[in-house]
């Protein structure tokens, strides 16, 4: 997906996008996972404006102000680094298997072109979503694992708990 950083008038932006995506609106998720209208009081927004494959339920999601993904996006913006979220349950999916992660590659504008090189003109992120179940199913499909246990470890979590 593509997330565009928005500092201009929200209503004007939504109206412009509706020319291409008729039902576009900027929204977020509540703490219970329900889609909710984002308040007009935020100084900036980062809604998804493109998603492939096309998934209407995610277009308009304001990741920049999201409690889970927002801090990582803002860090990617500040550092010009590609960053990944820790594993979390992806919201809005129509599947039973929702555990995954997302990566964020910040984009900047320099001399009228988009670049990944840090500049004062942040324009948004390219967001990549990884669902663990289909990813692992594809990796393990040709392996004979009868009688074998497979364990996955989050090395960062293990190191964090060892230091406490």
């Amino acid at each position: 997906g593509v997330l565009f950083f928005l500092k201009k008038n929200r209503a004007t932006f939504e109206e412009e996008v509706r020319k291409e995506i008729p039902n576009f609106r900027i929204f977020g998720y509540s703490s219970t996972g329900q889609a909710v209208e984002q308040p007009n009081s935020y100084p900036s927004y980062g809604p998804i404006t493109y998603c492939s494959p096309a998934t209407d339920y995610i277009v308009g999601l304001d990741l920049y102000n999201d409690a889970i993904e927002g801090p990582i996006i803002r860090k990617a913006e500040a550092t010009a680094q590609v960053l990944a979220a820790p594993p979390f349950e992806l919201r809005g999916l129509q599947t039973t298997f929702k555990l995954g992660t997302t990566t964020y590659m910040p984009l900047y504008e320099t001399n009228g072109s988009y670049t990944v090189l840090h500049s004062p003109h942040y324009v948004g992120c390219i967001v990549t979503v990884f669902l663990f179940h289909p990813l692992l199913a594809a990796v393990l499909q040709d392996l004979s694992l009868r009688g074998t246990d497979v364990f996955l470890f989050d090395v960062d979590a293990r190191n964090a708990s060892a230091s406490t």
Side-chain angles (χ1 to χ4, degrees), residues 1-162:
V2 177
L3 160 111
F4 274 101
F5 182 64
L6 170 65
K7 275 195 170 181
K8 62 182 174 178
N9 182 287
R10 173 183 169 171
T12 303
F13 177 79
E14 287 179 323
E15 187 176 307
E16 287 174 16
V17 174
R18 281 191 198 108
K19 293 174 185 172
E20 300 291 325
I21 307 168
N23 295 322
F24 181 83
R25 67 183 176 89
I26 296 175
F27 72 96
Y29 282 110
S30 70
S31 60
T32 61
Q34 300 300 310
V36 294
E37 194 71 29
Q38 287 291 67
N40 285 320
S41 59
Y42 290 140
S44 53
Y45 300 88
I48 294 174
T49 54
Y50 173 79
C51 187
S52 178
T55 47
D56 294 339
Y57 62 86
I58 207 80
V59 172
L61 174 59
D62 177 17
L63 293 179
Y64 197 79
N65 293 299
D66 184 73
I68 296 171
E69 300 179 73
I72 299 153
I73 291 170
R74 291 188 292 277
K75 183 176 179 182
E77 172 193 358
T79 63
Q81 294 179 343
V82 176
L83 297 177
F88 67 99
E89 188 172 295
L90 300 167
R91 287 113 352 130
L93 299 176
Q94 307 301 316
T95 177
T96 304
F97 303 104
K98 299 179 183 184
L99 188 62
T101 190
T102 48
T103 62
Y104 312 94
M105 183 174 74
L107 296 173
Y108 306 87
E109 187 175 357
T110 303
N111 299 324
S113 297
Y114 293 134
T115 179
V116 295
L117 301 175
H118 194 271
S119 85
H121 306 289
Y122 174 71
V123 294
C125 283
I126 295 176
V127 181
T128 307
V129 177
F130 297 95
L131 280 166
F132 292 147
H133 183 267
L135 185 64
L136 290 173
V139 168
L140 299 175
Q141 73 180 352
D142 293 329
L143 295 177
S144 174
L145 297 174
R146 181 166 295 183
T148 303
D149 293 326
V150 176
F151 296 91
L152 298 176
F153 295 96
D154 182 339
V155 176
D156 290 336
R158 188 176 61 196
N159 289 340
S161 65

